[in-house]
Amino acid sequence: MSQIHLQVNNLSKDFGGLRAVNNVSFEVNGPELIGMIGPNGAGKTTLTNLLDGALIPSGGTIYLNGKRIDGIKPYQVARAGLGRTFQVTRSFRRMTVMENLLVPGMALHTTASRKAQEKKAWEVLEFLTFEHLANEYARSLSGGQQKLLELGRLLMLDPDIIILDEPFAGVHPKLMEKIYEYITTVNARGKAFILISHDMDTIFTLSKRLLVLNFGSLIADGTPDEVRQDPTVIEAYLGEEDEEYGTAMPVVDVHQLVEEEGDAS
Amino acid sequence: MTGKIILWILGVAGLVVLALLPLAYDIFPFLPPGLLNDYTLHVLIVGFYYAILASSWSLLMGYAGQFSFAHMAFASMGAYASGMLGMFLGTSPLTGIIAGTLLAGFFGLIIGLLVLRLRSTYLALFTIAFAEIFRLGVNAEKDYTGGGNGLQMDALFPNGVDLGFYQFDSVNKIPPYYVMFFLMIILIGLMVWLAGTRFGLFLKSIREDEEAAAALGVNVVRYKVLVFVITSMIAGLVGAVRGHYITIISPNDMVILWMSLVITMAVLGGIENLIAAGIGGIVVFIMLEFLRADFATTTVMTVTLTILLSIGLYQLVMVVARRSGRVMKNIHKTLAVAGAFVVALGVSAAIASPLTTLISYTYYDFSGSLLPETIDMSDWRLVIFGLILMLTLRFSQNGLLYPIIQRVSRTGKLSDTVAKRDAARAMAEAEA
Amino acid sequence: MHASPLLQTFNTGPALLILLWVIFWAVVGGVVTPRVYRRKDLDASSATLYGAVAGAGTGPILPVYLWVKTPELNWRWIVVPSALTLAMLIWAFAVYDPNNLCVNNGGYVISQISNGLLVGVLYGLIALGLTLIFSILGIVSFAHGQFYMIGGYVAFFVVDDVFGLNLNPLLGLLAAGLVTMAIGIVFERLLLRPMHLGQIERPSEYAILVTFGLAFFLTYTVQATIGTNPRKLTPYFPIDTVTIGPVSMPPSRVIGAAIGLVVLAILYWFLNYTWRGKALRAVSQDKQAAAVVGINPLTMNTLAFGMGAMLAGIAGAALVQVFTWAPNVGDVASARSFVVIVLGGMGSLIGAMVGGLVIGVVEALGVGCFPDVSRALAYQQVFGLVIFAIVLLLKPTGLFGREL
Ligand SMILES: Nc1ncnc2c1ncn2[C@@H]1O[C@H](COP(=O)(O)OP(=O)(O)OP(=O)(O)O)[C@@H](O)[C@H]1O
Ligand SMILES: [Mg+2]
């Protein structure tokens, strides 16, 4: 497999007068596991939408493995090797779990037989320990199971870079473990991850590198330790002394998180 | 024997019966006369036509989630294209039908591209606008389309059909019967096949969530436009064939009533299953024709009243039950339905006759027409279908036929699934 | 094919040139402007539309200004160019058909416009209920025209002497309102409420289909019980034709419009000065917040649907003395109401009235100015429908609609 390389140059996005993403540049080299944090409204979801082609940037360029992907359609971006989940779960509710998995499989391999894709889907189901649900409608799955199903669909798409928008929001600790495992396993198989989360514990332990967004700008990019010391980050979050981390860390309001669950991104 | 096999046998048997129907007297000379005549064949031909329309509308609506009120307009467009080509250039029906199909497909492409951004209500409104503009335009451009007087079209086989051993003249119903019958099999077969391929899979994913589908690599634009093109072409094709069969078309073929009927057919059959929708088309059309004839008015009144009353009673029972804080199990509900039905039937049977007299009196008195013996059912049958449409939507969103098909086809599988689920549960418990 | 000899008197060539000029600059403006804005890192979301209108209205002048100065694109940059575009199109039309009454007879135009406005009030009145329903329930009722039709019939039977009732027109209006409101409330309770309780799988499709089913049911119930014979009522009040200068307005329409304005005033009072009315407005603005302060949204849904149906019924009662009545008048009324509320902006009451006026004028001018008189009337609805389709495609929120 060729080397994974994502390059984002001076990416911007305006909504009317509001600059939601401002001159963001960064690179992803190889199968990195990157965390992305930032207060509510910092522009994380917007950045994801820009990378995935759902939004057209107001300025800047994006290259994935040498191919320019800004300004092309989301489905082309997906085929070029960038997959994402949504902040609010978006499974195909009136399709079975198997059909949900087949969609990306068949979309990616335009000549593949359904049989071959089904075989692959069974492997994914096994990985998710979901075999018994194959013929259930997605709408009859629990919220957590639907989240896993979304991750399963990404496995079928098999992208180089996977962006997960708040995978841990509203998730039971047990399922959290499972998602955690998913991320580390798939990462070990050579996929890069960009992980958006407000769950500081998890994101600081899981990722090797952190991107911090604030008011649309990238204010820090470095290892968790570097970011923790970074004065701009400390200032941006206006955090108080946090016992666990020693320095200022954002205080995440649980109620806010719960409320956010219902929000459309 | 699993349910799937039963369904297959039923389906094939049904098709064989339909295929042999015109030859019934040749095969079974002992059948009583009058069972099969031109009228019966006509009803079936038009029934097949509606089956194709209902089925293709379901592909658009049930599979792709694209709400369109323009389906009849596309059918008429195919017919007008063929009719006008025949009239002004003297082309043969076959050429005309092909041209009509292509024209409908072309407009389907344009509409499909235009409405990419519109969803549900807005899409429904836009397609109504398109259909109405087309209908009013045809109505207005009398010089070209014949306007409200309609457009004369050649017979499907202007010179009849010569099989060597047997000749059919141009007005014989048997050739069009087979044309429409095989069109139905081929077109619905084609759509069922398409629905089973990646095409159908992608359409469903687009219906469920466009953005998510796109993020997973589905070329949303292509499939949305494609489904418009395909269904418009199918509508245009059968519209043109029907035009040549009836030999006269008019803007009245496009009034909202016919679109309502196609929708009713698809909904009653089940919009998520193309075959169920198709069967819905045939059945509803046959029932409509059946009800048109001098069907005993009282019976119809009884049926209508029974439906209305049983629903009212059922709702009443439920409300009372809820007020008194009682938990209704499924068995109670079933009992309530049955009870409501029996009571309603009794009451309706008792009052239907006097009510009929009253209605027929008022009806003819108001409209000032002559006083025949029975009510003209041509309006009441539509009332009944309007009612059934609303009730089906409310109480059985997947239609009346599709749930039955689903249940039958699952009979063999059910135990299998249950066993699997139990095994999984056991495993999960063991883990914990 | 069967070209009428009249066709020879039209100056097709020069008119086509003007049209091509307009189209050319519209395309240039529409294509180039967003690129310029994007190049300069500015918000280009509405640049296509604004650029196209600027080009259509002013040729190269305004587009070049936009490219050089790239001002922030707000309503200022579209109102004047739209008017100029309209002027260009009128000019093209005048060149094309110089003998048209609309081109060489100002009085005729004024009388067409005022009659259009008069009918427009009535169109607005019909559509009011539909937009009210949309603003509260978030659905478009496809049975709206049927309530209008039924209202008309109820008033007819109350006021006319078929039944020997011969009652006061005001009672006719009242009866029409009550009957349609009752039907609306029953329907909402039985078939729409389950949707809001989450008992229905695909709510938006369901709403369309079930109201459509209701339309079907009501149309044919009426047709089956009272037949298709057209009926017409004499004007409610014996007044003379109103004549102002070149404009003469038939009494029935003046009465209809007057009723419409009174109903509008009452509705305004209801929405602004009664608790229920304010509650309705609260729900239309923010369902959750309204629920928090103790307004039951389900009750409001029923009320809104009942009122919407009632407004349609009263509109029917007001118009049964203007138009000939048959069970299918509902279809046309529905279609026209869709046009009106989409143009005005779905959910906006003011929008419905303004949309009604615009459509009234458009239809009057369309019919009055159509070059071929023999087909003009057949196209009456098409003029509105074309505008409708364009609005749906370019700006689904209409003139006064909120961004969804
Ligand atoms: N389609 C849009 N139109 C206008 N403004 C938008 C749009 N989408 C996002 N915004 C604005 O852009 C800003 C960034 O939003 P975004 O959703 O990217 O934040 P986020 O970092 O994902 O926040 P959260 O942590 O709450 O998910 C917000 O101020 C938001 O209001
Ligand atoms: Mg977000």
Side-chain angles (χ1 to χ4, degrees):
Chain A
M1 188 196 283
S2 64
Q3 182 67 28
I4 298 170
H5 182 67
L6 176 74
Q7 192 182 349
V8 178
N9 305 317
N10 303 323
L11 202 61
S12 298
K13 178 69 191 176
D14 297 306
F15 290 119
L18 178 84
R19 179 147 274 221
V21 170
N22 183 18
N23 247 337
V24 169
S25 305
F26 65 93
E27 277 186 45
V28 178
N29 281 307
E32 291 190 78
L33 213 170
I34 302 173
M36 187 190 291
I37 57 172
N40 291 128
K44 304 180 295 294
T45 301
T46 309
L47 182 58
T48 311
N49 287 336
L50 289 172
L51 292 175
D52 138 85
L55 289 174
I56 298 167
S58 312
T61 55
I62 312 164
Y63 290 88
L64 176 62
N65 300 336
K67 182 177 187 250
R68 185 159 174 184
I69 60 164
D70 60 282
I72 66 175
K73 296 270 155 48
Y75 80 92
Q76 292 165 318
V77 176
R79 290 179 191 180
L82 189 145
R84 56 89 57 100
T85 61
F86 294 89
Q87 193 161 351
V88 178
T89 324
R90 297 174 92 161
S91 52
F92 303 134
R93 293 171 53 78
R94 281 188 293 141
M95 295 169 75
T96 64
V97 168
M98 177 53 90
E99 285 176 320
N100 264 272
L101 293 176
L102 283 178
V103 168
M106 304 287 283
L108 187 64
H109 306 279
T110 39
T111 53
S113 74
R114 198 179 173 116
K115 272 255 157 59
Q117 289 307 312
E118 272 180 14
K119 194 159 157 262
K120 203 172 143 196
W122 278 113
E123 286 166 18
V124 170
L125 286 173
E126 210 171 311
F127 180 75
L128 300 174
T129 58
F130 250 32
E131 293 106 311
H132 58 295
L133 298 174
N135 290 318
E136 298 290 325
Y137 280 102
R139 63 157 177 241
S140 61
L141 266 50
S142 76
Q145 286 171 327
Q146 293 196 28
K147 267 196 148 75
L148 276 181
L149 176 58
E150 275 200 278
L151 298 177
R153 289 196 309 208
L154 283 182
L155 285 184
M156 293 294 292
L157 183 67
D158 203 22
D160 293 338
I161 298 188
I162 296 175
I163 308 179
L164 302 181
D165 199 348
E166 312 223 357
F168 304 120
V171 160
H172 185 265
K174 190 138 180 230
L175 183 63
M176 192 131 150
E177 246 167 61
K178 211 161 170 180
I179 297 176
Y180 202 100
E181 184 195 320
Y182 169 96
I183 295 172
T184 44
T185 319
V186 176
N187 181 241
R189 286 188 201 165
K191 305 286 173 198
F193 272 88
I194 298 179
L195 201 60
I196 299 174
S197 181
H198 289 291
D199 184 337
M200 296 301 155
D201 273 351
T202 319
I203 206 152
F204 269 78
T205 31
L206 199 54
S207 38
K208 313 277 177 319
R209 178 182 157 200
L210 278 176
L211 303 174
V212 187
L213 274 184
N214 194 25
F215 291 117
S217 302
L218 191 63
I219 56 169
D221 176 356
T223 65
D225 280 327
E226 285 165 9
V227 166
R228 208 171 286 155
Q229 316 292 341
D230 193 317
T232 20
V233 177
I234 296 167
E235 196 189 331
Y237 274 94
L238 290 174
E240 291 134 37
E241 287 287 310
D242 189 290
E243 291 161 16
E244 206 169 325
Y245 290 104
T247 51
M249 273 319 302
V251 181
V252 179
D253 183 348
V254 182
H255 301 291
Q256 210 167 0
L257 272 184
V258 175
E259 268 170 31
E260 223 177 88
E261 255 292 87
D263 281 2
S265 65
Chain B
M1 190 157 66
T2 67
K4 274 235 162 76
I5 298 176
I6 299 178
L7 288 177
W8 267 103
I9 293 174
L10 279 177
V12 172
L15 287 180
V16 169
V17 169
L18 286 177
L20 297 180
L21 197 73
L23 312 174
Y25 285 114
D26 303 309
I27 304 172
F28 303 110
F30 51 83
L31 282 176
L35 214 55
L36 183 76
N37 49 32
D38 273 4
Y39 176 65
T40 331
L41 286 182
H42 170 78
V43 169
L44 283 169
I45 296 172
V46 183
F48 297 156
Y49 163 72
Y50 277 111
I52 301 168
L53 285 182
S55 185
S56 52
W57 191 75
S58 297
L59 182 66
L60 196 56
M61 172 74 197
Y63 266 77
Q66 304 295 305
F67 208 122
S68 169
F69 276 115
H71 215 53
M72 287 312 275
F74 283 118
S76 272
M77 185 182 283
Y80 269 97
S82 186
M84 282 160 67
L85 279 176
M87 178 139 190
F88 294 112
L89 300 179
T91 54
S92 73
L94 183 62
T95 322
I97 290 168
I98 293 171
T101 309
L102 294 178
L103 185 77
F106 175 70
F107 271 88
L109 175 72
I110 292 180
I111 296 294
L113 285 171
L114 284 178
V115 300
L116 278 172
R117 276 173 43 208
L118 299 180
R119 278 178 210 177
S120 66
T121 307
Y122 288 95
L123 182 57
L125 290 175
F126 183 85
T127 48
I128 281 195
F130 170 75
E132 283 292 288
I133 291 172
F134 183 68
R135 180 177 70 84
L136 293 165
V138 167
N139 216 347
E141 296 299 327
K142 292 190 189 60
D143 295 346
Y144 305 101
T145 63
N149 295 332
L151 182 72
Q152 209 72 37
M153 292 182 59
D154 288 331
L156 197 53
F157 299 101
N159 307 316
V161 175
D162 188 353
L163 290 179
F165 59 91
Y166 198 92
Q167 277 90 24
F168 298 97
D169 59 19
S170 68
V171 291
N172 195 307
K173 303 264 180 210
I174 291 179
Y177 179 90
Y178 280 111
V179 168
M180 210 49 117
F181 177 67
F182 284 113
L183 267 183
M184 175 178 76
I185 293 180
I186 293 167
L187 292 176
I188 295 186
L190 177 80
M191 287 190 285
V192 168
W193 172 76
L194 271 175
T197 63
R198 67 180 65 233
F199 181 73
L201 190 69
F202 294 162
L203 288 187
K204 281 203 275 183
S205 73
I206 290 168
R207 171 191 76 195
E208 292 301 302
D209 191 328
E210 258 181 71
E211 278 107 52
L216 293 171
V218 176
N219 188 342
V220 173
V221 171
R222 177 200 288 177
Y223 288 98
K224 268 173 88 171
V225 173
L226 212 55
V227 74
F228 262 104
V229 173
I230 290 174
T231 53
S232 315
M233 282 177 81
I234 289 175
L237 170 61
V238 293
V241 172
R242 171 192 173 272
H244 283 293
Y245 161 63
I246 305 270
T247 66
I248 180 150
I249 51 175
S250 87
N252 282 339
D253 301 342
M254 286 181 268
V255 290
I256 205 79
L257 165 66
W258 304 113
M259 192 64 232
S260 320
L261 282 181
V262 170
I263 292 175
T264 308
M265 290 162 176
V267 169
L268 296 195
I271 52 172
E272 286 189 40
N273 184 294
L274 301 172
I275 294 177
I279 298 175
I282 301 183
V283 172
V284 168
F285 188 75
I286 291 178
M287 281 174 68
L288 277 170
E289 285 300 310
F290 176 60
L291 289 176
R292 182 210 287 278
D294 37 359
F295 187 80
T297 315
T298 316
T299 317
V300 177
M301 283 299 295
T302 314
V303 172
T304 322
L305 279 174
T306 307
I307 295 173
L308 274 172
L309 273 179
S310 34
I311 288 168
L313 279 174
Y314 176 72
Q315 293 270 357
L316 194 70
V317 171
M318 297 312 279
V319 167
V320 171
R322 212 178 311 129
R323 289 270 156 82
S324 63
R326 208 159 297 195
V327 182
M328 297 290 275
K329 292 209 196 94
N330 271 341
I331 177 76
H332 294 138
K333 285 187 187 165
T334 316
L335 279 178
V337 170
F341 180 75
V342 171
V343 174
L345 189 64
V347 175
S348 311
I351 61 171
S353 175
L355 210 60
T356 313
T357 323
L358 188 70
I359 285 177
S360 59
Y361 169 74
T362 48
Y363 177 78
Y364 288 105
D365 200 22
F366 289 162
S367 62
S369 56
L370 295 171
L371 288 163
E373 300 282 81
T374 52
I375 301 189
D376 178 5
M377 278 309 296
S378 58
D379 291 326
W380 280 113
R381 66 198 171 127
L382 298 172
V383 173
I384 296 167
F385 276 100
L387 199 61
I388 297 178
L389 173 62
M390 284 192 284
L391 295 177
T392 307
L393 285 166
R394 170 67 185 86
F395 294 106
S396 176
Q397 269 204 300
N398 285 330
L400 301 179
L401 202 56
Y402 183 42
I404 300 175
I405 295 179
Q406 263 180 324
R407 178 133 335 154
V408 175
S409 79
R410 248 196 261 123
T411 43
K413 262 197 204 159
L414 207 59
S415 49
D416 199 31
T417 318
V418 171
K420 240 193 233 168
R421 197 177 302 171
D422 287 347
R425 194 167 298 149
M427 229 169 69
E429 272 162 19
E431 247 178 61
Chain C
M1 202 94 348
H2 306 279
S4 71
L6 261 177
L7 223 78
Q8 264 72 51
T9 63
F10 295 139
N11 304 319
T12 317
L16 213 57
L17 273 184
I18 302 175
L19 215 56
L20 281 177
W21 164 271
V22 170
I23 292 171
F24 174 78
W25 287 110
V27 170
V28 171
V31 170
V32 177
T33 316
R35 273 157 217 250
V36 175
Y37 272 72
R38 215 168 286 142
R39 174 82 43 86
K40 297 196 179 172
D41 257 7
L42 290 162
D43 174 26
S45 49
S46 44
T48 310
L49 179 66
Y50 283 57
V53 177
T58 66
I61 303 167
L62 191 58
V64 170
Y65 179 81
L66 290 181
W67 302 338
V68 175
K69 296 268 183 179
T70 53
E72 193 191 320
L73 294 173
N74 51 28
W75 60 272
R76 220 166 300 184
W77 299 103
I78 195 140
V79 173
V80 176
S82 305
L84 288 173
T85 308
L86 198 63
M88 293 291 288
L89 295 178
I90 292 171
W91 183 40
F93 179 74
V95 169
Y96 171 68
D97 186 8
N99 299 324
N100 197 302
L101 275 178
C102 286
V103 174
N104 54 26
N105 185 341
Y108 178 73
V109 176
I110 291 176
S111 94
Q112 284 295 353
I113 290 180
S114 27
N115 271 309
L117 287 173
L118 197 60
V119 173
V121 174
L122 308 177
Y123 290 172
L125 179 63
I126 305 174
L128 265 184
L130 191 59
T131 212
L132 179 71
I133 292 172
F134 183 83
S135 73
I136 308 291
L137 286 93
I139 64 166
V140 170
S141 164
F142 283 78
H144 197 68
Q146 277 63 35
F147 286 110
Y148 163 82
M149 178 266 292
I150 289 175
Y153 271 120
V154 170
F156 176 84
F157 286 121
V158 169
V159 178
D160 200 79
D161 56 3
V162 208
F163 279 128
L165 286 178
N166 259 327
L167 294 173
N168 188 304
L170 289 179
L171 286 177
L173 289 168
L174 191 70
L178 289 179
V179 169
T180 46
M181 185 168 199
I183 300 174
I185 286 178
V186 169
F187 174 76
E188 204 282 339
R189 282 300 302 263
L190 291 183
L191 289 165
L192 290 181
R193 180 166 288 192
M195 190 176 85
H196 295 284
L197 293 175
Q199 294 166 355
I200 301 291
E201 188 123 314
R202 289 152 267 165
S204 69
E205 291 169 17
Y206 173 79
I208 300 174
L209 286 172
V210 82
T211 53
F212 192 70
L214 177 69
F216 192 51
F217 173 72
L218 292 179
T219 305
Y220 289 100
T221 307
V222 171
Q223 187 160 320
T225 44
I226 57 183
T228 51
N229 278 6
R231 288 157 200 281
K232 178 110 197 250
L233 210 54
T234 48
Y236 281 150
F237 304 105
I239 59 168
D240 287 333
T241 303
V242 179
T243 312
I244 310 164
V247 185
S248 79
M249 295 180 275
S252 63
R253 291 188 182 205
V254 174
I255 295 168
I259 296 174
L261 292 176
V262 170
V263 170
L264 192 64
I266 295 175
L267 183 69
Y268 180 84
W269 167 80
F270 173 78
L271 288 177
N272 287 289
Y273 297 100
T274 65
W275 185 85
R276 257 169 225 289
K278 287 186 207 164
L280 268 185
R281 285 197 305 147
V283 173
S284 87
Q285 266 144 30
D286 189 339
K287 273 212 163 68
Q288 259 107 38
V292 169
V293 297
I295 300 168
N296 180 358
L298 292 179
T299 319
M300 288 300 131
N301 283 342
T302 311
L303 177 66
F305 199 88
M307 277 184 60
M310 181 188 74
L311 285 170
I314 292 178
L319 297 196
V320 69
Q321 42 120 33
V322 180
F323 302 119
T324 315
W325 223 248
N328 64 2
V329 293
D331 293 342
V332 182
S334 279
R336 197 173 273 130
S337 301
F338 299 152
V339 176
V340 167
I341 68 161
V342 166
L343 177 64
M346 303 254 268
S348 158
L349 294 177
I350 302 167
M353 284 321 283
V354 175
L357 294 176
V358 172
I359 295 300
V361 172
V362 164
E363 281 190 4
L365 285 180
V367 173
C369 305
F370 199 74
D372 180 355
V373 182
S374 66
R375 284 177 302 168
L377 212 55
Y379 274 117
Q380 178 176 11
Q381 277 184 292
V382 173
F383 304 113
L385 284 168
V386 169
I387 290 183
F388 175 54
I390 294 172
V391 171
L392 273 176
L393 292 177
L394 293 183
K395 196 168 185 305
T397 46
L399 294 174
F400 295 89
R402 282 173 287 175
E403 293 288 335
L404 290 178

